[in-house]
Amino acid sequence: AILIMILKAADISNVIKPFEISRRWACRVNEEFYFQGDQEVNKLGEVSNEMFDRNSGKEMAEGQIGFIRFFAKPFFELVKDVLPPLSYFYEQLCENEGDWEQILVMREKTKSRLMNRNSVGLSTDESHNKPSADST
């Protein structure tokens, strides 16, 4: 059972590497998913899973956080309990989760700022377009 656990840990080890390495692997995995989705669209006319759809608008960070929270974190928590010398993997995983969360927060702030700028430019209030007494 321990050998199987170690093999699975190796299989999903991209999420426990230092963040920059983990992020690069996540980009590669996402591209693989998108390629699969492209193939499905070409052959079947639709994508079987939203994460395979490069046009879905989903943030890669959301997918990584979901994978970490629902699969990797419980798994590596078990690994650290069974093999305490490997607890640093769990610690790195938690750091990576925090980094992905920060990326999401920054992207949401950026989207919000852009939306606010656009809504100001689309104002229907014409009063700001009326000439002032000084301009006549």
Side-chain angles (χ1 to χ4, degrees):
I2 291 179
L3 179 59
I4 293 169
M5 181 184 290
I6 291 170
L7 288 172
K8 189 60 180 172
D11 182 39
I12 63 167
S13 66
N14 61 309
V15 295
I16 59 171
K17 295 185 185 317
F19 184 73
E20 265 313 299
I21 296 169
S22 181
R23 186 190 60 76
R24 281 186 255 146
W25 274 107
C27 289
R28 289 181 183 123
V29 168
N30 258 24
E31 195 50 45
E32 222 177 279
F33 289 163
Y34 293 154
F35 178 77
Q36 179 175 334
D38 295 344
Q39 296 299 315
E40 290 175 358
V41 168
N42 289 337
K43 292 180 182 172
L44 307 172
E46 64 184 356
V47 179
S48 66
N49 190 317
E50 184 182 35
M51 73 180 180
F52 297 160
D53 185 358
R54 71 175 69 243
N55 300 313
S56 72
K58 285 292 234 182
E59 289 282 348
M60 181 171 64
E62 288 179 63
Q64 290 301 300
I65 291 168
F67 180 75
I68 288 169
R69 288 187 180 157
F70 298 109
F71 184 75
K73 204 169 186 180
F75 175 76
F76 281 104
E77 191 168 17
L78 180 64
V79 169
K80 82 174 174 79
D81 291 345
V82 173
L83 300 165
L86 301 182
S87 63
Y88 62 91
F89 289 141
Y90 183 78
E91 293 163 13
Q92 181 64 53
L93 177 68
C94 292
E95 283 182 38
N96 290 350
E97 179 184 24
D99 289 342
W100 286 116
E101 288 171 345
Q102 287 180 339
I103 288 171
L104 265 187
V105 167
M106 289 188 306
R107 294 236 169 100
E108 287 303 315
K109 285 181 181 178
T110 300
K111 284 179 189 176
S112 179
R113 279 192 214 117
L114 290 173
M115 288 175 63
N116 286 338
R117 277 191 207 145
N118 289 339
S119 66
V120 168
L122 299 174
S123 173
T124 57
D125 180 12
E126 295 295 324
S127 64
H128 66 282
N129 290 330
K130 292 182 181 177
S132 66
D134 296 334
S135 66
T136 55

